[in-house]
């Protein structure tokens, strides 16, 4: 017997959320059919689909494993409280210290509540490595294979299926899913981990979920972090409950050893009041002090590579014993990074950037030295460049650093600043949304129809200048029309295509322009390379060897083309070698194998997305100029002009009055060209242009018609051109890309061009033309001038203004040059052939009229028919 609509509808509430939505729409469509009701065949098909969906739910429920919790984790003691809070509230905030077990145990608590069956438990991590390792850990604890009940998805890799109940992923993956699943019906629970990082992705997700929750009452959200501002997030989610879990840490003693010893006391190293030390000396003193405390490794936080090198040199000189000094920062080779995780004998001092603050845990650390500073990425509204100034870290970051030495035993943290300095610092790090360019966020929000940035519920609203700057960049790229009032229509055709490319808008604009220039493959390779960390490694101990290996791919006119040469070399070698041999090649030639693979994967993804937009890679190599014109389309505000010679001649005038130098190591450094474009302008010790290429300024003019400022000087009549010309100057963000070019002035100021045309061409006769009236008028003027000469008078002929007025009344306003005049007169003379002919009467002024006695004989004979006064 065929089931009724009501019977089928009653079975939907037990299906997965996606199946429920899909089948409910089909039932609504069946109910809307006219006549005696839906056909039995249609209902039978819907019933069969519902049965399949019910079996899918049964398989998902059967795949959920039994849940148990490690007794040693602090979160285990609070699991009942957390479970009740998640059950009774739509949003719960869990503030758990490092080591409390929140990351691995919260998904298990959700599974116990029955979550993960009708929808997936989505668990976000800021980094791909964390998503993979956490998924492996949870799967191991639950005793299930990775990719079944527990899976993960990162860029280019997905190990999750229909039966996956817990899915680890990067926050970027969840953002990408919003584009095609606005209601996030795939998920019944979302856990946002590491929310303290307050990246753009995390803040956008926090705002989007706040908007989504009223429309998804069945969706649960858990926000968690080690150093989070729980009260602020609670207010953001309308008073969501906060549960704080203590961490599994050992006590850490904090000692303050400021660079300047103040007060009537000596510091721990025996230094006297008022003595000033530099940071390197202070670090050496701190390591000496900690070495006296007993065995254990030391972790020293530093702001950048240069500071790490200086400290490493000083420590090796001051400690010639068995102490091992190791650097740790992002640009190191994989092998050098892995050294800090390998077993060792003796004491080890690890010098790290803030990558070791939260991203990873260095084993064996018992002591920490914290100078209290870090390079914080900030976007300058004035220069429109990303700056990396060294700034004091927040209290939360300082606490994270301190916690690195309390994981396995009692620890000591030496801070190279005062306790008062620490108390005066901001409690939390400023969110990224308030210190970075918002162009990408605005582009995606506009594409998704989420309204303006100002109305979006960010936890911390971005500065209005940042919003205006982001919109200005999108206008520069031709993606946004700021004059459009309707937000739904602000995106241009270019903007709609840019929103679909999974890269920074600048890089996406390069790809779109490459489609016009026939350089898609080359630009895709370069755009992918600029999106990742440089695959070329430069180990500290082998810098010269690495530079020599990489120099094979350098191009004297373009750092961008070095990426293309490297790409082609790698493609050829990869085809020839086995997988293991190719890995060895990368290691031998100072190339990071994993970054090379990431480069290749991203290129493939970009090519696939470009193909969906109708952009195809060519079959023939593109001209380098076509490549650079395409790159320039996304970098119009990164153009530089070299001024002068000598040492100052190596500095470039940049946009909006900025000045930058070529980054050391650029292939263009020995012979810097007149004009360059840089992939990025970054301020550290000074403003540097990184990854640059030689360009021609006229390329920028063709691409930046909506941005350039044109000024004109010295408009004048040109007999040769038959029109008014002027000297044009074109500037882009203050840079003169065109100077002293002669242009037709009629398109700039048609009124003045018409006036000058009439005055010089028609009145003064400075024009080469064959029009009959022009020759006749010239003859008549010559006769009157001859008459003045014979009469020895200069007041007979009317002045030039009278002649100008004569033409001005008869020549239409649109006639602004000789070419325009010829086109008009060709039509007008057929109806009014005498329209522009002078008469004798009009050429004689009233002041110049003569009496009878004054007329020569030939005048009285009427040759000129002059009037008698």
């Amino acid at each position: 017997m065929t089931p009724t609509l009501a019977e089928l509808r009653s079975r939907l509430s037990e299906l997965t959320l996606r199946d429920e939505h899909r089948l409910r729409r089909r039932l609504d469509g069946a109910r809307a059919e006219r006549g005696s009701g839906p056909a039995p065949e249609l209902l039978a098909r819907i019933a069969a689909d519902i049965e399949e969906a019910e079996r899918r739910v049964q398989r998902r429920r059967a795949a959920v494993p039994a849940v148990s919790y490690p007794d040693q984790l602090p979160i285990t003691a609070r699991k009942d409280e957390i479970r009740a809070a998640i059950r009774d509230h739509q949003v719960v905030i869990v503030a758990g210290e490092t080591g409390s077990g929140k990351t691995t145990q919260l998904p298990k608590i959700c599974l116990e509540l029955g979550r993960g069956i009708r929808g997936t438990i989505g668990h976000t991590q800021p980094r791909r490595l964390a998503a993979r390792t956490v998924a492996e850990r949870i799967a191991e604890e639950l005793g299930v294979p990775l990719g079944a009940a527990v899976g993960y998805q990162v860029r280019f890799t997905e190990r999750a299926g229909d039966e996956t109940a817990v899915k680890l992923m990067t926050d970027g993956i969840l953002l990408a899913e919003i584009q095609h699943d606005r209601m996030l019906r795939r998920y019944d629970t979302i856990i946002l981990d590491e929310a303290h990082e307050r990246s753009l992705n995390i803040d956008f997700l926090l705002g989007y979920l706040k908007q989504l929750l009223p429309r998804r009452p069945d969706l649960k959200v858990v926000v968690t972090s080690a150093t989070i501002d729980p009260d602020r997030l609670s207010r953001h989610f309308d008073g969501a409950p906060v549960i704080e879990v203590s961490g599994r840490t050992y006590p850490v003693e904090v000692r303050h050893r400021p660079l300047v010893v103040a007060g009537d006391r000596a510091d721990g190293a025996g230094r006297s009041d008022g003595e000033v030390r530099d940071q390197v000396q202070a670090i050496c003193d701190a390591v000496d002090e900690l070495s006296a405390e007993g065995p254990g490794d030391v972790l020293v936080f530093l702001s950048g590579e240069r500071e790490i090198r200086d400290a490493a040199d000083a420590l090796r000189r001051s400690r010639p014993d068995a102490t091992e000094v190791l650097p740790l920062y992002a640009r190191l080779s994989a092998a050098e990074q892995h050294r800090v995780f390998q077993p060792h004998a003796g004491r080890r001092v690890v010098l790290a950037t803030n990558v070791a603050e939260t991203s990873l845990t260095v084993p064996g650390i018992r002591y920490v030295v914290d100078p209290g500073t870090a390079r914080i990425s900030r976007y300058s509204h004035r220069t429109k460049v990303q700056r990396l100034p060294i700034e004091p870290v927040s209290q939360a970051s300082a606490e994270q650093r301190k916690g690195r030495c309390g994981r396995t035993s009692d620890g000591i943290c030496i801070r190279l600043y005062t306790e008062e300095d620490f108390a005066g610092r901001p409690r939390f790090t400023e969110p990224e949304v308030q210190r970075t360019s918002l162009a990408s966020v605005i582009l995606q929000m506009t594409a998704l129809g989420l309204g303006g940035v100002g109305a979006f519920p960010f936890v911390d609203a971005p500065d209005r200048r940042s919003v205006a700057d982001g919109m200005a960049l999108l206008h520069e790229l031709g993606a946004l029309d700021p004059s459009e009032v309707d937000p739904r229509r602000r995106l241009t055709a270019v903007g709609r295509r840019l929103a679909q490319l999974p890269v920074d808008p600048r890089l996406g604009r390069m790809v779109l322009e490459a489609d016009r220039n026939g350089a898609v493959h080359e630009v895709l390779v370069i755009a992918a390379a600029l999106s990742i960390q440089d695959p070329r490694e430069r180990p500290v101990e082998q810098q010269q060897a690495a530079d020599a290996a990489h120099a094979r791919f350098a191009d004297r006119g373009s750092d961008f083309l070095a990426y293309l040469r490297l790409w082609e070399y790698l493609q050829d070698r990869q085809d020839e070698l086995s997988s293991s041999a190719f890995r060895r090649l990368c290691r031998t030639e100072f190339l990071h194998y994993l970054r090379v693979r990431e480069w290749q994967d991203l290129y493939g993804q970009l090519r696939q997305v470009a193909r969906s937009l109708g952009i195809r890679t060519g079959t023939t190599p593109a001209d380098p100029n076509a490549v650079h014109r395409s790159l320039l389309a996304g970098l119009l505000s990164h153009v530089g002009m070299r001024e002068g010679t000598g040492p100052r001649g190596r500095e470039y005038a940049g946009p909006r009055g900025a000045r930058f130098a070529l980054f050391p190591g650029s292939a263009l450094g020995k012979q810097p060209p007149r004009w360059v474009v840089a992939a990025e302008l970054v301020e550290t010790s000074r403003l540097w242009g990184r990854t640059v290429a030689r360009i021609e300024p006229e390329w920028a003019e063709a691409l930046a018609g909506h941005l350039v400022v044109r000024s004109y000087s010295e408009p004048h009549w040109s007999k040769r051109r038959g029109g008014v010309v002027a000297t044009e100057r074109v500037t882009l963000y203050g840079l003169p890309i065109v100077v002293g070019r002669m242009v037709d002035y009629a398109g700039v100021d048609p009124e003045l061009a018409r006036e000058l045309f009439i005055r010089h061409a028609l009145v003064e006769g400075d024009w080469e033309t064959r029009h009959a009236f022009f020759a006749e008028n010239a003859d008549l003027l010559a006769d009157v001038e001859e008459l003045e000469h014979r009469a020895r008078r200069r007041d007979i002929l009317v002045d030039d203004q009278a002649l100008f007025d004569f033409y001005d009344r008869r020549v239409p306003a649109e006639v602004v040059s000789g070419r325009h005049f010829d086109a008009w007169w060709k039509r007008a003379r057929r109806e009014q052939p005498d329209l522009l002919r002078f008469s004798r009467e009009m050429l004689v002024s009233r002041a110049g009229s003569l009496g009878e006695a004054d007329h020569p004989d030939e005048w009285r004979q009427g040759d000129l028919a002059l009037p008698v006064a």
Side-chain angles (χ1 to χ4, degrees), residues 583-739:
R583 282 176 177 267
R584 289 193 299 271
L585 171 78
C586 290
R587 183 169 57 253
T588 303
E589 302 191 1
F590 304 100
L591 301 171
H592 195 294
Y593 173 76
L594 294 179
R595 293 175 197 160
V596 169
R597 289 303 307 270
E598 184 181 10
W599 185 12
Q600 295 171 336
D601 291 340
L602 182 55
Y603 168 82
Q605 185 188 32
L606 286 175
R607 186 174 61 177
Q608 183 178 358
V609 175
R611 187 180 294 114
S612 68
L613 296 176
I615 300 173
R616 305 286 179 176
T617 56
T619 56
T620 58
D623 181 77
N625 287 346
V627 174
H628 292 122
R629 285 198 302 269
S630 303
L631 298 176
L632 182 60
L635 301 171
L636 290 171
S637 54
H638 288 180
V639 172
M641 180 186 69
R642 185 167 61 91
E643 295 180 331
T645 57
R648 188 171 179 82
R650 292 186 176 273
E651 196 171 62
Y652 283 82
R656 305 176 181 90
R659 302 192 69 85
F660 67 89
L662 303 186
F663 194 73
S666 171
L668 283 68
K670 293 183 179 180
Q671 293 181 332
R674 172 71 168 166
W675 286 88
V676 298
V677 63
E680 57 180 351
L681 298 178
V682 179
E683 184 175 351
T684 53
S685 57
R686 63 178 301 179
L687 188 59
W688 298 102
R690 290 180 174 174
T691 312
V692 298
R694 176 189 291 109
I695 62 167
E696 299 298 332
E698 54 265 26
W699 298 349
E701 181 188 12
L703 292 166
H706 58 301
L707 300 172
V708 298
V709 175
R710 302 178 185 273
S711 58
Y712 303 89
S713 61
E714 302 177 2
H716 60 277
W717 167 255
S718 171
K719 180 179 181 180
R720 184 177 62 85
R721 292 195 180 190
V724 178
V725 296
T727 303
E728 183 182 41
R729 178 185 175 90
V730 184
T731 59
L732 174 64
Y733 295 126
L735 295 176
I737 58 178
V738 175
V739 178

Side-chain angles (χ1 to χ4, degrees), residues 5 140 288 319 353 401 453 497 626 638 702:
L5 280 171
E140 180 183 354
D288 290 341
R319 303 183 63 82
T353 60
R401 294 180 173 187
V453 176
R497 302 179 80 195
H638 288 180

Side-chain angles (χ1 to χ4, degrees), residues 159-467:
R159 293 191 63 180
D162 289 340
E163 298 176 8
T164 299
V166 178
K167 176 182 170 183
L168 275 293
M169 57 187 156
T170 58
D171 40 36
I173 292 293
L174 185 59
L175 276 177
E177 292 189 11
I178 292 176
Q179 296 190 16
H180 53 81
D181 183 10
R182 297 288 296 276
M183 298 294 288
L184 292 176
R185 289 190 175 89
R186 177 190 295 270
Y187 305 98
D188 65 7
T189 307
I190 292 178
I191 302 172
L192 293 180
D193 203 356
E194 304 293 348
H196 70 277
E197 295 202 4
R198 299 296 303 279
S199 66
L200 276 176
N201 286 350
I202 289 174
D203 270 23
F204 186 81
L205 285 172
L206 291 171
Y208 186 79
L209 289 173
K210 179 178 174 62
Q211 289 184 328
L212 178 63
L213 289 174
R215 294 179 288 159
R216 280 286 311 276
D218 57 314
L219 180 64
K220 300 286 187 178
V221 173
V222 181
V223 183
T224 179
S225 173
T227 53
I228 201 172
D229 187 352
D231 295 334
R232 193 174 194 84
L233 284 176
S234 177
R235 291 193 300 270
H236 176 71
F237 286 109
D238 304 321
V242 177
I243 300 176
E244 299 195 21
V245 182
S246 61
R248 178 169 54 90
T249 56
Y250 292 84
V252 177
E253 177 190 353
V254 177
R255 301 176 183 177
H256 293 275
R257 303 288 185 256
L259 301 182
V260 179
V261 181
D264 297 327
R265 69 182 191 277
D267 69 357
R271 303 200 175 262
S272 60
D273 173 27
E275 186 170 350
V276 179
R277 302 173 294 166
D278 64 16
Q279 180 173 286
V280 173
Q281 183 60 51
I283 290 172
C284 292
D285 293 343
V287 172
D288 290 341
E289 179 182 347
L290 294 172
S291 298
E293 296 292 334
D297 295 343
V298 183
L299 175 61
V300 182
F301 286 95
L302 289 160
S303 303
E305 297 179 27
R306 179 183 299 176
E307 291 82 1
I308 287 177
R309 286 195 295 269
D310 292 344
D313 292 341
L315 285 170
R316 292 186 180 113
R317 288 194 304 268
S318 65
R319 303 183 63 82
D321 54 9
T323 300
E324 183 182 17
V325 180
L326 293 181
L328 179 60
Y329 50 87
R331 282 169 51 89
L332 279 177
S333 67
E336 289 178 305
Q337 290 181 354
H338 290 159
R339 286 175 62 187
V340 303
F341 301 101
Q342 296 171 353
H344 63 96
R347 188 183 303 278
R348 171 180 284 174
V349 179
V350 179
L351 307 176
T353 60
N354 57 358
V355 68
E357 189 176 302
T358 58
S359 301
L360 51 86
T361 298
V362 180
I365 297 300
R366 187 178 177 188
Y367 309 109
V368 163
V369 178
D370 177 19
T373 58
R375 287 198 182 274
I376 306 296
S377 177
R378 292 192 180 277
Y379 189 74
S380 170
H381 303 289
R382 184 183 66 83
T383 61
K384 314 301 179 188
V385 299
Q386 201 74 28
R387 301 170 56 242
L388 291 170
I390 298 177
E391 299 180 0
V393 299
S394 66
Q395 292 183 8
S397 292
E399 291 299 302
Q400 284 277 10
R401 294 180 173 187
K402 182 188 77 172
R404 297 298 97 187
C405 64
R407 304 300 301 273
T408 58
S409 64
D410 296 353
I412 299 175
C413 174
I414 292 183
R415 290 174 173 165
L416 303 182
Y417 48 97
T418 65
E419 190 171 359
E420 293 77 13
D421 185 357
F422 173 80
R425 297 185 176 197
R427 187 178 175 190
F428 299 99
T429 303
E430 188 178 5
E432 186 181 6
V433 73
Q434 294 184 339
R435 52 183 174 83
T436 193
S437 173
L438 297 179
S440 181
V441 173
I442 296 172
L443 178 65
Q444 295 300 328
M445 289 182 62
T446 307
L448 291 171
L450 298 179
V453 176
F456 189 75
F458 283 108
V459 177
D460 294 281
D463 190 283
R464 287 180 295 178
R465 293 176 300 174
S466 299
V467 177

Side-chain angles (χ1 to χ4, degrees), residues 565-583:
R565 293 183 175 183
L566 175 59
W567 174 272
E568 293 168 359
Y569 171 75
L570 291 174
Q571 294 296 101
D572 293 340
R573 300 298 287 156
Q574 195 169 19
D575 292 340
E576 299 170 358
L577 301 175
S578 64
S579 177
S580 58
F582 183 70
R583 282 176 177 267

